[in-house]
Amino acid sequence: MKHSIIIGGAGFIGSNLTSELLLCGNQVTVIDNLSRGLRAYISEHLKNERFKFFNFDVAIRQQCDDAFENAHKIAKIDEVWHLAANSDIPAGVSNPDIDHKDTFLSTFEILIQLKKYNIPTLHFASSSAIYGDFGDEKIYETIGPLLPISNYGAMKLASEAQITAACESNLNRANIFRFPNVVGVPATHGVILDFVNKLKTNREELAVLGNGTQKKAYLHVSDLVSAMKLITTKESPHKALLVNIGPIDDGVTVKWIAEKVVERINPKARILYGEGSKGWTGDVPKFNYSTDRLKSFGWSPGLSSSESILKAIDEIAKHEGF
């Protein structure tokens, strides 16, 4: 039986991955500091004999030591899924210590444990934010130079570099997933949850950051999990395999999302737009993401960007009581 560690497994993507790996018959140990995730998101598994949960902050050396020591006592660790990071990009711009700790140091400390316990495989949640702003240029995994414009993107890129260095010394395999914008439940952040919460506070109007022309591709979390699982089965000539994950369409605008959220929550609500094409400092307003490498593996998403958004709006609205 494979023993899988999921760092950040009580969060949005992590809880979905936890459920999937348990269905696959794995022994699953979740390590989470519960800064974004909730115990409630994994509570259904607490009585499963193949599941364990530890509340530790892996960005802190002693806590990371304790977390892996406890996990190793359960069974030899076969793989680590590292999904923990600061997901609040504006907060990281205001205070760079947040991303240094939660996005980079978490990676650095985990790599120490991988070497200590001779764990051969790491699956890492990176981000499209590592690329920076390429405008309308098609973004392939080999494009460069990489010039992230947020502290989040910078620390994800630094983490990738640290991981590839570990591949030279002790890691047998690192799968680096460059995520798109992911939607679904249980949402802990993101544009849809933000809009729903604003309408929960004021049913009559919705204030949008920026002018609404920001256009991005969106992937439903169910499609993301299926893509990650497939990538882990693929051979690679290099120890580190970097893959863009995303839909195969051009995405949708923030304006369209706002209109659909209002339509679902209160069709009479007014939408008030801000100025400029960016929602916040460090926001990449548009990008053209290539998923050719992923498609060559035989994968395609079950939902388009628009279908993913519509499904997620309904899921999040129900989750928030609408």
Side-chain angles (χ1 to χ4, degrees), residues 195 199 204-208 254-263 268-273:
F195 286 169
L199 286 170
E204 303 307 314
E205 64 180 40
L206 173 62
V208 176
V254 170
K255 180 178 184 292
W256 185 85
I257 297 172
E259 290 171 349
K260 295 302 178 182
V261 171
V262 164
E263 184 179 305
K268 295 181 179 180
R270 296 176 299 154
I271 303 176
L272 307 176
Y273 293 99

Side-chain angles (χ1 to χ4, degrees), residues 89-117:
I89 295 179
V93 172
S94 299
N95 181 5
D97 284 337
I98 294 174
D99 276 308
H100 178 250
K101 175 184 175 291
D102 293 339
T103 306
F104 177 71
L105 284 182
S106 60
T107 305
F108 187 86
E109 295 298 334
I110 287 167
L111 288 171
I112 291 174
Q113 302 298 323
L114 292 175
K115 187 173 184 177
K116 177 179 178 180
Y117 290 102

Side-chain angles (χ1 to χ4, degrees), residues 143-277:
I143 201 170
L146 303 182
L147 302 170
I149 61 173
S150 65
N151 287 315
Y152 170 78
M155 293 298 97
K156 282 292 189 183
L157 183 56
S159 293
E160 287 193 9
Q162 200 70 49
I163 290 166
T164 58
C167 285
E168 180 67 18
S169 61
N170 62 283
L171 268 183
N172 290 344
R173 174 69 179 266
N175 295 302
I176 298 175
F177 314 118
R178 289 175 173 169
F179 283 9
N181 293 281
V182 185
V183 295
V185 289
T188 59
H189 64 284
V191 64
I192 300 174
L193 182 62
D194 180 51
F195 286 169
V196 170
N197 282 336
K198 284 181 177 179
L199 286 170
K200 183 184 289 188
T201 301
N202 182 354
R203 295 287 296 271
E204 303 307 314
E205 64 180 40
L206 173 62
V208 176
L209 297 175
N211 59 20
T213 61
Q214 307 97 306
K215 187 177 183 181
K216 301 178 183 181
Y218 293 86
L219 193 69
H220 194 270
V221 65
S222 58
D223 280 331
L224 176 74
V225 170
S226 73
M228 290 193 295
K229 284 180 57 187
L230 176 64
I231 292 167
T232 65
T233 68
K234 296 301 176 182
E235 296 293 329
S236 172
H238 307 290
K239 286 187 176 182
L241 176 60
L242 289 76
V243 184
N244 290 346
I245 301 179
I248 56 176
D249 55 74
D250 294 331
V252 296
T253 64
V254 170
K255 180 178 184 292
W256 185 85
I257 297 172
E259 290 171 349
K260 295 302 178 182
V261 171
V262 164
E263 184 179 305
R264 172 64 173 80
I265 304 297
N266 179 22
K268 295 181 179 180
R270 296 176 299 154
I271 303 176
L272 307 176
Y273 293 99
E275 297 180 357
S277 62

